[in-house]
Amino acid sequence: MAVTAVAAVSATTFAAQTVEPARPQTSSVAQLFGEPASSGDGARTVRITPQTQAVSVHAGETVRFDFGSTSAAWTFAARPGNTVVELASLLPDIPAAKGVWVHQNGSNAFAGH
């Protein structure tokens, strides 16, 4: 009888848990540049074509990258100075991101003015 009670409690506990949607895995390098965002959160959409070599973004900006058949969004961290990162480092699951460089204009929050 004790085993039945434990099983009932375990089943109830399991049923009450909510499952969060899986977020894309990001590398520790990618985390220095911000974090993945929902595609609907993008304030600006940038279309990436095979001819695209570079994209300029601002610190703190959320950008939706449209690759034609798929898209992904990224919120860029506020960082001092200007930085450059390959888009494939941020979105490793999207092959079309390879060879596209993101130029991030730094935030004035660290300027000391």
Side-chain angles (χ1 to χ4, degrees), residues 33 43 57-63 74-79 104-107:
F33 294 92
V57 300
H58 294 284
E61 181 179 22
T62 299
V63 178
W74 191 267
T75 298
F76 290 89
R79 299 174 49 95
Q104 180 178 339
N105 296 321
S107 169

Side-chain angles (χ1 to χ4, degrees), residues 24-36 74 77 79 85 89-90 92:
Q25 294 295 319
T26 57
S27 70
S28 57
V29 171
Q31 292 174 0
L32 294 172
F33 294 92
E35 61 186 12
W74 191 267
R79 299 174 49 95
V85 63
S89 295
L90 308 179

Side-chain angles (χ1 to χ4, degrees), residues 11-109:
T12 303
T13 303
F14 180 75
Q17 294 177 351
T18 58
V19 177
E20 293 288 326
R23 291 189 65 120
Q25 294 295 319
T26 57
S27 70
S28 57
V29 171
Q31 292 174 0
L32 294 172
F33 294 92
E35 61 186 12
S38 169
S39 287
D41 292 343
R44 178 168 67 110
T45 298
V46 174
R47 185 167 182 238
I48 305 295
T49 67
Q51 293 77 30
T52 304
Q53 295 180 356
V55 175
S56 292
V57 300
H58 294 284
E61 181 179 22
T62 299
V63 178
R64 178 180 174 265
F65 296 99
D66 181 2
F67 297 92
S69 61
T70 189
S71 67
W74 191 267
T75 298
F76 290 89
R79 299 174 49 95
N82 297 329
T83 57
V84 179
V85 63
E86 187 177 21
L87 190 54
S89 295
L90 308 179
L91 307 172
D93 296 336
I94 302 177
K98 188 165 180 62
V100 178
W101 293 89
V102 177
H103 297 266
Q104 180 178 339
N105 296 321
S107 169
N108 291 331

